[in-house]
Amino acid sequence: MIIKFFEGLEKYGIKFESSQKRMLVTPGNTLVLGRSGTGKTTVSAFKMLAIDLLFKTYSKMSLTDCKKVVLEPEDLTRYKGCGIVFCTASPVLTNEVRRFYKELELIIKEHLQKKHDARERVRKQKLALEESKNCVHFLYLQSVNLKLIIVSTTFDTQELA
């Protein structure tokens, strides 16, 4: 599931190199070493966000007793995260990671809101379609009844003559 999450980021122009992908999908605690500018911090922030989102998704699944759940924008604040620790010696880097993580969270929340709005539009369209079908059936039944009444009245009139 985490691999699918990261593959989905590519449509937003976020691509990872093979070494970064290995770090992203490595289970458990991760110690990342490398030279500056290799993307360690960025990839770490993405991994923390993915783990947090998966944890919230599983929390929703267990509380709602569903096999398949859709993460809604409000779920990001409704469910507690899993408590990830990010360690660095630099207070500046700590603040930058926190800022970047919050930006990523906001992007995810906006994306979830767009998907929620699209699902809601489809649901409303289906309801409107069902209502229009019912209306058409009702009008059709009304017109059939009118024809029957007219035919019946005509028949009665002819019979009387």
Side-chain angles (χ1 to χ4, degrees), residues 16 20 23 32 35-46:
F16 300 102
Q20 293 171 328
M23 184 202 140
V32 182
R35 285 185 256 150
S36 58
T38 56
K40 299 177 302 296
T41 304
T42 303
V43 174
S44 296
F46 276 110

Side-chain angles (χ1 to χ4, degrees), residues 8-20:
L9 292 174
E10 290 185 6
K11 62 184 168 192
Y12 299 104
I14 300 168
K15 296 182 180 175
F16 300 102
E17 294 181 16
S18 61
S19 60
Q20 293 171 328

Side-chain angles (χ1 to χ4, degrees), residues 9-67:
L9 292 174
E10 290 185 6
K11 62 184 168 192
Y12 299 104
I14 300 168
K15 296 182 180 175
F16 300 102
E17 294 181 16
S18 61
S19 60
Q20 293 171 328
K21 285 180 184 176
R22 277 195 312 275
M23 184 202 140
L24 288 169
V25 298
T26 299
N29 297 327
T30 310
L31 175 65
V32 182
L33 301 171
R35 285 185 256 150
S36 58
T38 56
K40 299 177 302 296
T41 304
T42 303
V43 174
S44 296
F46 276 110
K47 184 170 184 171
M48 289 186 301
L49 180 64
I51 291 168
D52 196 47
L53 290 173
L54 287 171
F55 187 83
K56 290 175 180 182
T57 303
Y58 288 131
S59 296
K60 185 175 182 178
M61 282 172 56
S62 65
L63 291 173
T64 57
D65 240 1
C66 294
K67 298 284 184 215

Side-chain angles (χ1 to χ4, degrees), residues 126-141:
K126 285 181 180 179
L127 280 175
L129 182 61
E130 284 302 314
E131 286 177 9
S132 67
K133 283 180 183 178
N134 292 339
C135 185
V136 168
H137 290 308
F138 179 70
L139 289 173
Y140 175 74
L141 288 173

Side-chain angles (χ1 to χ4, degrees), residues 60-102:
K60 185 175 182 178
M61 282 172 56
S62 65
L63 291 173
T64 57
D65 240 1
C66 294
K67 298 284 184 215
K68 182 180 178 185
V69 296
V70 175
L71 203 60
E72 298 291 346
E74 62 271 7
D75 292 337
L76 296 181
T77 52
R78 179 180 299 149
Y79 298 101
K80 296 280 184 205
C82 56
I84 297 171
V85 177
F86 179 83
C87 298
T88 180
S90 168
V92 173
L93 184 59
T94 301
N95 289 330
E96 284 301 308
V97 169
R98 182 179 296 120
R99 183 192 56 75
F100 182 60
Y101 186 87
K102 293 294 179 191

